[in-house]
Amino acid sequence: MKALIDKSNFIGLDQCTWLFCGAESPVHRGALEAVHDYMNARTGGPRGRERNAETEWKCKTNLAALIGGNARDIALMSNASEAISMVAQAAVLQPGDNVIINKLEFPSGILPWLALKQQGVEVRVVEHTDWGVDAQDILRLVDD
């Protein structure tokens, strides 16, 4: 099978195959360069902030074109944990409502939902079977 991206584009893959895909994965050289450019722009004060805002807008515009959406409707988050937290905070949930999570999720993906218990939201937990969660197990916990 041919890879979509040559492994030489990633730091540290010249002598290994990386199968772990958590937060600690080899960095793409282009991503590292983009972070470097971002940090250099930040040292420019307001001009650097403007440059980074322009780059972010271009990224949103490209994403919108890719998915057939509107750049104004796209939010860029720094990581999945931040995105999950934002969704949990933005969800309009009332006492008596419930959410369903699973035990395989990383702690930072669970904590924003558990925090909703303080507002009277019930948190239901799906158990895993052999390190997998079946959609039917989730659906069994779904109610009105």
Side-chain angles (χ1 to χ4, degrees), residues 80-116:
S81 299
E82 180 183 14
I84 292 168
S85 182
M86 296 293 279
V87 169
Q89 291 176 23
V92 181
L93 298 171
Q94 307 295 321
D97 288 343
N98 59 72
V99 296
I100 302 167
I101 60 175
N102 71 76
K103 285 198 170 185
L104 297 179
E105 181 62 62
F106 198 73
S108 59
I110 290 175
L111 293 174
W113 302 109
L114 292 177
L116 295 173

Side-chain angles (χ1 to χ4, degrees), residues 19-115:
L19 301 176
F20 181 73
C21 61
E24 300 158 346
S25 60
V27 175
H28 186 274
R29 294 178 192 281
L32 182 61
E33 184 179 319
V35 169
H36 182 73
D37 290 347
Y38 170 81
M39 294 307 291
N40 276 336
R42 286 190 55 120
T43 65
R47 283 193 203 128
R49 195 175 317 114
E50 288 173 18
R51 180 216 172 262
N52 286 341
E54 288 171 11
T55 301
E56 181 178 323
W57 182 252
K58 286 178 189 175
C59 183
K60 288 180 177 186
T61 301
N62 289 338
L63 286 169
L66 182 67
I67 64 173
N70 187 325
R72 288 182 202 90
D73 296 331
I74 294 176
L76 300 176
M77 302 285 119
S78 61
N79 55 54
S81 299
E82 180 183 14
I84 292 168
S85 182
M86 296 293 279
V87 169
Q89 291 176 23
V92 181
L93 298 171
Q94 307 295 321
D97 288 343
N98 59 72
V99 296
I100 302 167
I101 60 175
N102 71 76
K103 285 198 170 185
L104 297 179
E105 181 62 62
F106 198 73
S108 59
I110 290 175
L111 293 174
W113 302 109
L114 292 177

